[in-house]
Amino acid sequence: MWPWIVTAVLVAWIAMGVWQRNKPLPEDLGQAWPERPVEEVGFLADESWFDAQGGRHLDQAIFDEMLALIGDARRLVVLDMFLFNDFAGGSEAGEFRPLTAELTDALIEQKRRHPGLEAVVISDPLNTFYGGLELDHLEALRRAGIIVVLTDLNRLRASNPLWSGLWHLGPRWLGNSAQAGWLPNALGPGRVTLRSYLALLNFNANHRKTLVVDRGEGWAGLVTSANPHDASSLHGNVALRFEGAAALDLLASERTIAAWSGVGLPSPGPLPALSNDDGARLQLLTEGAIRDALLAAIKASGEGDRLDLAVFYLSHRGVIEALKAASARGVEVRALLDLNRDAFGLEKGGIPNRPVGRELVESGIAVRWCATRGEQCHTKLLLRRPVDGGDAEMILGSANFTRRNLDNLNLETSIRLLGRADSSALGQAGAFFERRWHSSPERITSMPFEAYDDTTTWQRLRYRIMEASGLSTF
């Protein structure tokens, strides 16, 4: 009987893996919302740079703006953040900004001041190590009357189908316990169960980073690459803050995720139509629609146009091939990449950006590395500026340019802005990129590609296998 039993298990494993990889997406995922007229849009950045003596300097704006928006809310706050904890990993915690406590305190205080305020915090179950930990700040939010939603990731397609096929046949149904931990927590303090690590191997995530609040009679939204995670507080990040109908699109996109956990978000009535003089437009993008917009922007670039990207992870083969094709037809492409060297006190192997950087350089694309010393160049930004003076375009948000982030496997949110290249937000984004790209001895922001041109054949092979299989953390 044993051969039959083993065969049946293998067939079930493979069948479940195929199903989990290809099952229908939940409704409203991977959506491109309509282009909306711009109202009160602003570009924000968290930047770090180093002086000639090696001292680190920080210019940060994103979480200050987020706290200000929460402080002005009276009716509704909907916050969706991937990492929302004070875990430091292997890093020294003393140098970090206490973002988790600041955001928690701001939410609780605003709820205290305005008891009628409806506040919902959506996050990824990685924060509790998939049910293996109880976090004090999440419990404090609940006690204050704030709804805390840990996203049901089982609704997503399998990023790692080789493992997820087996996971959904057995371990998934065992649940987890925050009181039964016996293994060290790789993310921070405390003990977790084996079930926590088995859940981790699925590599699924609600990777969104968004905020929606009421703003007087209207609505404001913020989409960013930044996490309210203490050990991430030194990272470089970008954000777009906006008001108007696009904020209601953002709220609608979060309504789907909250509903998975039985939480209903309000549906405010439509705002009055706006007209603007400069023709600038905003478009909300989620999941696979981000990929489609990136590819469309790259393919729309012609000879003499400028295409700039600043990305934490660049590995998606479709995006890479599109960038190489754009360069071949005369587009000026510049890629500012993280070294993929540092991860919360641990040293990584440079994958995927080192081998991808070498591939881009071999195709004639200019590549520079962000100057980092323990922190990460965590931005996810593409900026297209036509040579003929037509509409410029910017896409930024939570999504790295990888298979997991762009191919409907993670939950992701980005925002697309179109308008004149010299308009406020687009001009600020262009200035941000130029500051990062052009380094000087007095203000070190980036390094030439040759400084870390150390890619090996083994690295290239590992990157390709990891990207294709899903057996990776990028």
Side-chain angles (χ1 to χ4, degrees), residues 106-339:
L107 289 164
I108 293 173
E109 175 61 17
Q110 198 65 6
K111 179 68 173 178
R112 185 195 65 78
R113 292 169 55 198
H114 303 280
L117 174 72
E118 183 176 357
V120 180
V121 173
I122 305 170
S123 195
D124 189 88
L126 175 63
N127 292 283
T128 64
F129 220 138
Y130 307 98
L133 297 167
E134 289 182 350
L135 300 186
D136 291 343
H137 71 284
L138 297 184
E139 294 305 313
L141 290 171
R142 292 186 177 105
R143 288 194 300 270
I146 295 168
I147 298 171
V148 177
V149 176
L150 296 180
T151 309
D152 179 7
L153 300 179
N154 291 312
R155 294 174 179 260
L156 301 178
R157 288 175 176 167
S159 177
N160 177 13
L162 183 64
W163 166 247
S164 294
L166 186 60
W167 165 259
H168 285 280
L169 286 176
R172 169 189 168 184
W173 306 102
L174 298 176
N176 207 346
S177 171
Q179 285 74 47
W182 57 281
L183 294 172
N185 173 14
L187 306 178
R191 295 276 173 174
V192 297
T193 65
L194 176 60
R195 288 168 286 177
S196 292
Y197 283 99
L198 295 180
L200 176 67
L201 294 175
N202 289 291
F203 298 135
N204 285 125
N206 175 0
H207 197 244
R208 293 181 176 185
K209 303 160 182 66
T210 69
L211 174 67
V212 182
V213 300
D214 65 284
R215 180 83 170 165
E217 296 302 314
W219 298 89
L222 187 146
V223 172
T224 182
S225 62
N227 289 295
H229 171 232
D230 291 14
S232 299
S233 61
L234 302 180
H235 292 358
N237 282 294
V238 292
L240 204 66
R241 181 249 197 235
F242 49 92
E243 296 188 20
L248 290 183
D249 292 339
L250 183 56
L251 177 59
S253 73
E254 293 298 334
R255 189 175 297 116
T256 297
I257 310 307
W260 292 356
S261 300
V263 175
L265 299 181
S267 301
L271 295 173
L274 296 174
S275 61
N276 53 2
D277 296 332
D278 60 8
R281 290 97 64 205
L282 274 176
Q283 184 181 32
L284 186 73
L285 307 166
T286 61
E287 290 79 51
I290 305 170
R291 172 202 59 217
D292 297 342
L294 288 170
L295 292 175
I298 297 169
K299 291 174 181 177
S301 303
E303 184 175 0
D305 290 353
R306 174 167 288 176
L307 200 60
D308 295 325
L309 58 152
V311 192
F312 178 50
Y313 284 139
L314 174 59
S315 65
H316 192 283
R317 293 311 307 171
V319 172
I320 292 167
E321 294 302 329
L323 290 170
K324 291 160 61 176
S327 178
R329 63 177 180 267
V331 179
E332 183 183 346
V333 183
R334 298 184 293 178
L336 181 63
L337 304 178
D338 185 78
L339 282 165

Side-chain angles (χ1 to χ4, degrees), residues 442-456:
E442 294 76 27
R443 185 185 174 97
I444 301 170
T445 57
S446 62
M447 300 169 289
F449 173 77
E450 294 75 21
Y452 288 91
D453 182 15
D454 53 5
T455 302
T456 65

Side-chain angles (χ1 to χ4, degrees), residues 25 28 53 56 72 95 111 181 200 263-264 294 339 358 367-368 371 380 447:
L25 286 171
D28 292 333
Q53 289 71 45
R56 178 190 281 122
D72 288 339
E95 61 181 334
K111 179 68 173 178
L200 176 67
V263 175
L294 288 170
L339 282 165
R358 165 45 56 190
V367 175
R368 288 182 68 86
K380 304 95 166 54
M447 300 169 289

Side-chain angles (χ1 to χ4, degrees), residues 342-390:
D342 300 299
F344 310 117
L346 303 176
E347 186 168 334
K348 302 195 298 182
I351 296 174
N353 286 359
R354 305 281 185 92
V356 168
R358 165 45 56 190
E359 183 179 353
L360 295 180
V361 167
E362 289 172 353
S363 299
I365 293 173
V367 175
R368 288 182 68 86
W369 306 112
C370 290
T372 56
R373 299 177 187 178
E375 77 280 10
Q376 296 172 350
C377 190
H378 197 248
T379 54
K380 304 95 166 54
L381 169 70
L382 181 137
L383 186 60
R384 179 177 69 88
R385 288 174 282 185
V387 68
D388 62 5

